Amino acid sequence: MTAGERTSLAAPVSVRPLVEPDLDQADEIFRVAFGTFLGVPEPKTFFGTADYVRTRWAADPHAAFAATVDGQVVGSNFATNWGSVGFFGPLTVRPDLWDRHIGRHLMEPVMACFDTWENRHLGLFTFSHSPKHLELYRRYGFWPRFLTAIMKKQVAAGAAVPGRVLYGELTAAERPDALSLSRALTGAVYEGLTLEREITATQVQGLGDTILLEGADSGLDGLAVCHCGAGTEAGEDVCFVKFGAVRPGPGAADRFLRLLDACEQLAADKGLGQLDAGVNLARQDAYQCMVDRGFRTWMQGVAMHKPNEPGYSHPDAYVIDDWR
């Protein structure tokens, strides 16, 4: 059965863990759902060579869920654990079954994940112009806050960035110390925030690499988890900064510009032509730095938070992410 075929409207909805044989169907539904909502001519080809379903399932199969009707997969959802921060998505449902409350069924297991993980701050990225999406997530305590801009720039080769180290080039013996330094950096940005899951998943799956900017005090000045090329969340000819942050405090803007340059250097080294990065507009100084470096917005949505608090989206935070 393809994503376009209909299923009995009388059949009950069940939710279970997403398993490997489901991935092709879940991926097709993901593309068709977004493509249909946005009105693209060929929904099945939406997102091109980018892959969100397989990469997120592989990162944590226990936090991936499928909705089924008559035994057929009709939707999926994914939870992500960043220590004190948790977010979910993409949540997608087959278009012919929209408005059957399947999204609500898919919310229940991810909320249970957050309870188990004891995340302190929860979030998601959704369409700012869709009352239906906003109302669904509001039911679960999420509140719309600032827009998040998904930005891009064409890659230009530049001078080498001093102090740039790639996690993928470290030895097995060096990596635990690098992860410890990364936790210290992200914990300074927001208490308990850790990107260890993303760093290790990117390495294990061969999705790209993580940039580590060495600091003068033996700590880190910044880090950026980057997906590179087809079969990742970036897509063909794209380097996507899934998360980036610099040490807060005096000089943070300069460190952030250096991190942006390091990301562009990675893209150039990989032979990729476009650099993508998202930033919440509550981080106004970080956004301005990106504009100054030539980034321009090509898509935007709204970040919803639970509770209705800034988290690490405030003017002093120099952070890249988009919670898609």
Side-chain angles (χ1 to χ4, degrees), residues 6 35 94 143 238 256 296 321:
R6 297 187 66 84
R94 219 172 66 195
W143 193 258
V238 176
F256 189 67
R296 296 296 181 265
D321 71 353

Side-chain angles (χ1 to χ4, degrees), residues 81-97:
N81 183 10
W82 285 358
S84 58
V85 174
F87 69 94
F88 70 87
L91 190 166
T92 54
V93 174
R94 219 172 66 195
D96 65 294
L97 295 175

Side-chain angles (χ1 to χ4, degrees), residues 41-148:
E42 297 290 339
K44 284 187 180 181
T45 64
F46 195 60
F47 285 103
T49 60
D51 191 329
Y52 281 70
V53 168
R54 293 175 184 83
T55 56
R56 297 201 178 180
W57 178 83
D60 190 352
H62 299 293
F65 304 96
T68 65
V69 176
D70 284 337
Q72 299 293 329
V73 174
V74 298
S76 61
N77 197 8
F78 303 82
T80 298
N81 183 10
W82 285 358
S84 58
V85 174
F87 69 94
F88 70 87
L91 190 166
T92 54
V93 174
R94 219 172 66 195
D96 65 294
L97 295 175
W98 286 352
D99 301 319
R100 280 199 58 196
H101 306 306
I102 294 173
R104 296 188 197 178
H105 289 274
L106 284 166
M107 284 297 299
E108 300 299 336
V110 300
M111 297 305 292
C113 280
F114 297 145
D115 288 342
T116 299
W117 296 336
E118 298 182 339
N119 310 107
R120 189 168 70 252
H121 191 77
L122 307 178
L124 67 117
F125 173 100
T126 193
F127 300 108
S128 56
H129 64 289
S130 172
K132 181 168 66 174
H133 287 82
L134 298 182
E135 178 59 20
L136 169 61
Y137 303 131
R138 190 197 62 76
R139 289 174 177 268
Y140 293 88
F142 293 90
W143 193 258
R145 292 183 63 89
F146 283 80
L147 294 175
T148 293

Side-chain angles (χ1 to χ4, degrees), residues 3 79 99 146 211 235 318 324:
D99 301 319
F146 283 80
I211 296 166
Y318 287 84
R324 278 184 291 171

Side-chain angles (χ1 to χ4, degrees), residues 10 48 50 59 75 101 108 119 179 225 229 242 261 267 272 279 300-301 308:
H101 306 306
E108 300 299 336
N119 310 107
L179 292 175
V225 183
K242 182 159 186 178
D261 291 343
L272 302 170
V279 62
Q300 65 184 14
N308 183 18

Side-chain angles (χ1 to χ4, degrees), residues 4-280:
E5 294 182 71
R6 297 187 66 84
T7 300
S8 168
L9 293 178
V13 179
S14 298
V15 175
R16 59 166 173 77
L18 188 71
V19 294
E20 192 166 7
D22 300 328
L23 296 181
D24 286 347
Q25 186 68 14
D27 179 75
E28 181 179 331
I29 292 168
F30 158 72
R31 296 175 190 277
V32 170
F34 275 103
T36 300
F37 183 81
L38 295 173
V40 302
E42 297 290 339
K44 284 187 180 181
T45 64
F46 195 60
F47 285 103
T49 60
D51 191 329
Y52 281 70
V53 168
R54 293 175 184 83
T55 56
R56 297 201 178 180
W57 178 83
D60 190 352
H62 299 293
F65 304 96
T68 65
V69 176
D70 284 337
Q72 299 293 329
V73 174
V74 298
S76 61
N77 197 8
F78 303 82
T80 298
N81 183 10
W82 285 358
S84 58
V85 174
F87 69 94
F88 70 87
L91 190 166
T92 54
V93 174
R94 219 172 66 195
D96 65 294
L97 295 175
W98 286 352
D99 301 319
R100 280 199 58 196
H101 306 306
I102 294 173
R104 296 188 197 178
H105 289 274
L106 284 166
M107 284 297 299
E108 300 299 336
V110 300
M111 297 305 292
C113 280
F114 297 145
D115 288 342
T116 299
W117 296 336
E118 298 182 339
N119 310 107
R120 189 168 70 252
H121 191 77
L122 307 178
L124 67 117
F125 173 100
T126 193
F127 300 108
S128 56
H129 64 289
S130 172
K132 181 168 66 174
H133 287 82
L134 298 182
E135 178 59 20
L136 169 61
Y137 303 131
R138 190 197 62 76
R139 289 174 177 268
Y140 293 88
F142 293 90
W143 193 258
R145 292 183 63 89
F146 283 80
L147 294 175
T148 293
I150 314 300
M151 309 180 79
K152 65 180 180 181
K153 77 178 300 288
Q154 295 305 301
V155 172
V161 176
R164 190 198 76 154
V165 175
L166 297 180
Y167 181 81
E169 295 178 352
L170 299 177
T171 66
E174 293 171 325
R175 288 178 180 174
D177 284 344
L179 292 175
S180 178
L181 290 173
S182 76
R183 286 193 296 271
L185 171 65
T186 54
V189 171
Y190 186 76
E191 185 179 0
L193 174 66
T194 174
L195 269 290
E196 185 170 344
R197 173 192 187 273
E198 297 299 337
I199 294 170
T200 56
T202 299
Q203 181 64 30
V204 170
Q205 296 183 53
L207 303 176
D209 215 328
T210 297
I211 296 166
L212 306 170
L213 290 185
E214 295 178 325
D217 60 353
S218 300
L220 291 181
D221 275 353
L223 69 85
V225 183
C226 300
H227 285 209
C228 299
T232 76
E233 294 181 22
E236 187 174 0
D237 200 35
V238 176
C239 175
F240 167 54
V241 185
K242 182 159 186 178
F243 180 91
V246 299
R247 178 167 49 84
D254 290 337
R255 291 190 289 274
F256 189 67
L257 291 171
R258 181 173 157 225
L259 184 66
L260 294 176
D261 291 343
C263 293
E264 188 161 8
Q265 182 186 342
L266 176 65
D269 290 347
K270 298 281 189 181
L272 302 170
Q274 181 174 303
L275 181 62
D276 282 16
V279 62
N280 188 271

